Amino acid sequence: MDQEELAVLRHLKRANVDYGKSIAVNTGIPLQKVLDILEKLEALGLVERVRGGKTLKRTEARYKLSHEVRKHHVYYRLTRKGRHLLRQERGQNP
């Protein structure tokens, strides 16, 4: 797992739910690279697309400014496997 992939996972841990462009802005990784990373992480089972509903509340997506927003993007969140991998990584690099 390279540093950019870990940066995307760490960002999703902080944000809870977010989309590609926002991840790119917050991590400094180019958008196309972020989208490629998200695709790879999804294939590995570390992130998943957020399903259901047409709106997203700020309690779910911590970096949103308004209380509730309509979904205009493909949103992602960590899976249990992704959260576990981050815990292991943090334990190896204190």
Side-chain angles (χ1 to χ4, degrees):
M1 177 109 357
D2 71 20
Q3 290 303 311
E4 289 179 330
E5 292 166 348
L6 285 171
V8 169
L9 290 173
R10 286 186 199 114
H11 173 79
L12 284 173
K13 181 169 175 35
R14 285 190 307 270
N16 193 33
V17 174
D18 214 348
Y19 60 97
K21 187 173 181 182
S22 176
I23 295 169
V25 167
N26 284 287
T27 61
I29 302 169
L31 176 58
Q32 190 55 54
K33 179 76 173 172
V34 167
L35 296 176
D36 293 342
I37 290 170
L38 286 169
E39 189 175 308
K40 178 182 178 184
L41 295 175
E42 186 177 18
L44 292 171
L46 299 174
V47 300
E48 64 186 357
R49 291 175 189 221
V50 176
R51 306 240 186 256
K54 295 193 182 290
T55 61
L56 191 65
K57 297 193 181 294
R58 187 172 57 198
T59 55
E60 296 174 67
R62 295 184 186 124
Y63 286 136
K64 291 291 174 199
L65 299 177
S66 58
H67 176 67
E68 183 175 281
V69 294
R70 294 204 179 275
K71 289 183 181 176
H72 298 291
H73 311 281
V74 177
Y75 288 86
Y76 293 88
R77 71 172 149 228
L78 288 176
T79 62
R80 184 172 185 218
K81 184 177 175 181
R83 290 189 303 272
H84 182 69
L85 182 121
L86 278 177
R87 276 195 303 273
Q88 284 182 326
E89 185 269 333
R90 187 178 62 214
Q92 293 172 357
N93 299 323

